[in-house]
Amino acid sequence: MVNKSPGRPRGSSTARARLLEAAQRHVLRGDLAAVSSRRLAAEVGVSHTLVNYHFGSRDDLVAAAIALRAAPHDVIALARGRDGHGPVDLSRLAHGILAVWEHPEHGVQLVGLARRLAVADASAASISGYIHVAVFEPLVADFGREHARRMAMAIVGFLFGRYVLELPMFTALSREEAGGLLLSMIR
């Protein structure tokens, strides 16, 4: 049953944190893609309407849980179908990438990481290797080498333009517009 009362849904003030903790547990188990917002809410003893109230949607809760980890392989895994298997859903991928890069803590860390990669410091080779195995190869498996290569170029170019170089043509876009642009680039 949906909460039809006006105003703030019933639930303790810790409901947001508990929902996020439950989602994070599922991220660690690798099964968050298969868990509904009703199930998450039931696990923490709150109304499922609090998922939308605090996060906007189940996908935004998923994005927030991913952002806590900020691991590229988690973004790829959670962009797969509801059961965590199957091909990557490109819309989920584009919006998941944005959620991680726009997270207040992780975004700053990722910009620093991207800048280190750009100047090829000592950690660049290991980071590059991880990205190749954890991000590029799964995309190759789903879309083929050439499409995955185009996707990687689009993603890297977009991320550098919006977050590292802060080019106005990218930073002027709202998050929704940016997600739509990135999605159109990786299709």
Side-chain angles (χ1 to χ4, degrees):
M1 176 198 288
V2 175
N3 180 3
K4 296 188 189 239
S5 345
R8 185 181 186 282
R10 289 190 176 97
S12 71
S13 61
T14 63
R16 184 183 194 287
R18 292 184 307 167
L19 284 165
L20 198 51
E21 287 170 15
Q24 183 64 27
R25 282 192 302 275
H26 285 283
V27 166
L28 295 173
R29 280 190 283 225
D31 66 351
L32 183 57
V35 177
S36 70
S37 57
R38 286 182 187 272
R39 181 171 158 202
L40 279 171
E43 285 179 23
V44 298
V46 299
S47 167
H48 70 281
T49 61
L50 287 175
V51 171
N52 287 348
Y53 178 78
H54 287 295
F55 298 95
S57 70
R58 179 199 169 279
D59 285 345
D60 288 340
L61 170 58
V62 167
I66 293 170
L68 289 176
R69 296 251 332 223
H73 65 272
D74 289 328
V75 175
I76 296 288
L78 288 169
R80 297 192 180 281
R82 287 255 186 227
D83 61 357
H85 297 91
V88 168
D89 177 309
L90 294 178
S91 179
R92 283 177 125 182
L93 178 62
H95 291 283
I97 289 169
L98 286 178
V100 170
W101 279 78
E102 293 192 3
H103 185 274
E105 282 179 44
H106 299 298
V108 171
Q109 293 171 354
L110 289 169
V111 168
L113 175 68
R115 287 185 175 139
R116 283 197 308 275
L117 281 171
V119 297
D121 76 354
S123 63
S126 61
I127 294 167
S128 177
Y130 164 74
I131 291 172
H132 183 82
V133 170
V135 177
F136 182 67
E137 289 303 327
L139 292 176
V140 168
D142 283 357
F143 300 101
R145 188 156 305 278
E146 288 310 308
H147 189 182
R149 194 170 280 134
R150 286 191 307 274
M151 292 170 73
M153 283 292 273
I155 292 167
V156 169
F158 179 86
L159 294 176
F160 264 79
R162 183 167 171 95
Y163 302 107
V164 179
L165 301 174
E166 298 179 0
L167 298 174
M169 69 182 99
F170 292 121
T171 59
L173 300 172
S174 71
R175 184 168 166 181
E176 197 58 38
E177 291 169 329
L181 176 61
L182 181 56
L183 177 58
S184 73
M185 293 167 66
I186 63 176
R187 281 199 166 133

